[in-house]
Amino acid sequence: MKKLIIAIDGHSSCGKSTVAKQIAAQLNYAYVDTGAMYRCVTLFAFQNFFINENKIDEEKLITRLNEIDIDFRYSAENQRNETYLNGTNVENEIRSLKISEMVSPIAKIKEVRAFLVQQQKKMGEKGAIVMDGRDIGTVVFPNANVKIFMTASVQIRAERRFKELKTSTPDVSFAEIFKNIEQRDFIDSNRAESPLRQADDAIVLDNSFLTPQEQLDWIMEKIKNKMV
Ligand code: DC
């Protein structure tokens, strides 16, 4: 059986990680959430006061990147991989709106991208991996066996994210989430360094009107075609 590299890129909050995890579980592959890695760098920048009033001290952050150690560990209790930054479980903290609001500006920094991309390439060296992000099919694994580009309308993505955050962050408004998604789309697609774009050989999946099961079936069929 071939050990494939499966790259899933696309807009913010369109369910990339949910489907990537399902694929990894079905194939018994490793799963890497590269967005979590950019979120960890953002949290590290906050922890060290490199972000003040929405301004990033890029120079300081760049010189201290070598102090960042990110890994993913399986939690038997929650039955999922969780993100660790320098040995501390930060899985919940990195999903907050505070981090979401600063992660796209952090992900624009060339040196931050180089630092993380090199680690991502290493994680996928042996194949049998599902990786999701913004530049996986274009930069990290331009030779990936399967490339999916996911999208959905901003309205639908904001509704889904609002539902998700409502319990953990009751103060957050729909308008704030909508604006955050729109802003992240803009920054991610227009930055100079590895902007979000569909790889020429990616298959587009607009899941605005698909159920999670329909979406999974659709992707698994594309993957199975590549396995023979
Ligand atoms: O997938 P996510 O929403 O957790 O990603 C957080 C941010 O990180 C997103 O706004 C863009 C950035 N990102 C990136 O630039 N490249 C990646 N491979 C993954 C995420």
Side-chain angles (χ1 to χ4, degrees), residues 39-119:
R39 288 172 181 273
C40 279
V41 175
T42 310
L43 176 58
F44 176 84
F46 271 115
Q47 287 172 340
N48 289 281
F49 308 101
F50 300 152
I51 301 176
N52 282 306
E53 291 173 7
N54 293 349
K55 291 217 168 58
I56 304 163
D57 188 335
E58 292 192 15
E59 227 170 280
K60 280 206 183 121
L61 174 62
I62 291 165
T63 55
R64 302 270 302 273
L65 284 174
N66 59 354
E67 291 174 28
I68 300 178
D69 179 52
I70 302 165
D71 67 310
F72 299 97
R73 301 182 200 169
Y74 185 73
S75 156
E77 191 188 339
N78 298 325
Q79 299 191 352
R80 61 174 188 188
N81 268 341
E82 297 186 337
T83 314
Y84 282 71
L85 169 62
N86 292 334
T88 302
N89 186 331
V90 293
E91 184 58 36
N92 291 332
E93 204 174 352
I94 57 169
R95 312 286 166 192
S96 67
L97 197 57
K98 178 181 160 185
I99 298 290
S100 297
E101 280 174 349
M102 287 310 292
V103 64
S104 286
I106 291 277
K108 272 166 69 174
I109 304 169
K110 192 169 138 204
E111 290 80 358
V112 169
R113 304 203 68 81
F115 173 71
L116 295 180
V117 165
Q118 145 218 314
Q119 296 177 32

Side-chain angles (χ1 to χ4, degrees), residues 39-211:
R39 288 172 181 273
C40 279
V41 175
T42 310
L43 176 58
F44 176 84
F46 271 115
Q47 287 172 340
N48 289 281
F49 308 101
F50 300 152
I51 301 176
N52 282 306
E53 291 173 7
N54 293 349
K55 291 217 168 58
I56 304 163
D57 188 335
E58 292 192 15
E59 227 170 280
K60 280 206 183 121
L61 174 62
I62 291 165
T63 55
R64 302 270 302 273
L65 284 174
N66 59 354
E67 291 174 28
I68 300 178
D69 179 52
I70 302 165
D71 67 310
F72 299 97
R73 301 182 200 169
Y74 185 73
S75 156
E77 191 188 339
N78 298 325
Q79 299 191 352
R80 61 174 188 188
N81 268 341
E82 297 186 337
T83 314
Y84 282 71
L85 169 62
N86 292 334
T88 302
N89 186 331
V90 293
E91 184 58 36
N92 291 332
E93 204 174 352
I94 57 169
R95 312 286 166 192
S96 67
L97 197 57
K98 178 181 160 185
I99 298 290
S100 297
E101 280 174 349
M102 287 310 292
V103 64
S104 286
I106 291 277
K108 272 166 69 174
I109 304 169
K110 192 169 138 204
E111 290 80 358
V112 169
R113 304 203 68 81
F115 173 71
L116 295 180
V117 165
Q118 145 218 314
Q119 296 177 32
Q120 292 155 6
K121 282 182 191 272
K122 210 155 178 239
M123 292 171 181
E125 256 169 5
K126 298 195 179 99
I129 193 161
V130 185
M131 198 174 273
D132 79 27
R134 305 293 187 289
D135 59 345
I136 311 305
T138 51
V139 176
V140 182
F141 296 119
N143 297 323
N145 306 87
V146 182
K147 297 183 187 177
I148 311 278
F149 188 86
M150 281 177 66
T151 190
S153 71
V154 178
Q155 176 72 26
I156 284 182
R157 286 185 278 147
E159 281 169 12
R160 290 178 186 155
R161 184 45 67 104
F162 183 57
K163 257 196 223 156
E164 239 172 55
L165 281 179
K166 225 169 34 186
T167 31
S168 64
T169 327
D171 298 345
V172 76
S173 73
F174 178 78
E176 271 177 298
I177 292 176
F178 190 96
K179 194 168 139 224
N180 175 247
I181 289 179
E182 249 185 351
Q183 279 172 343
R184 282 163 65 199
D185 279 359
F186 183 83
I187 300 175
D188 295 345
S189 308
N190 291 285
R191 66 182 176 222
E193 204 58 41
S194 323
L196 168 65
R197 67 170 184 83
Q198 184 194 325
D200 295 337
D201 50 350
I203 317 165
V204 180
L205 168 62
D206 182 333
N207 67 9
S208 299
F209 303 107
L210 290 182
T211 65

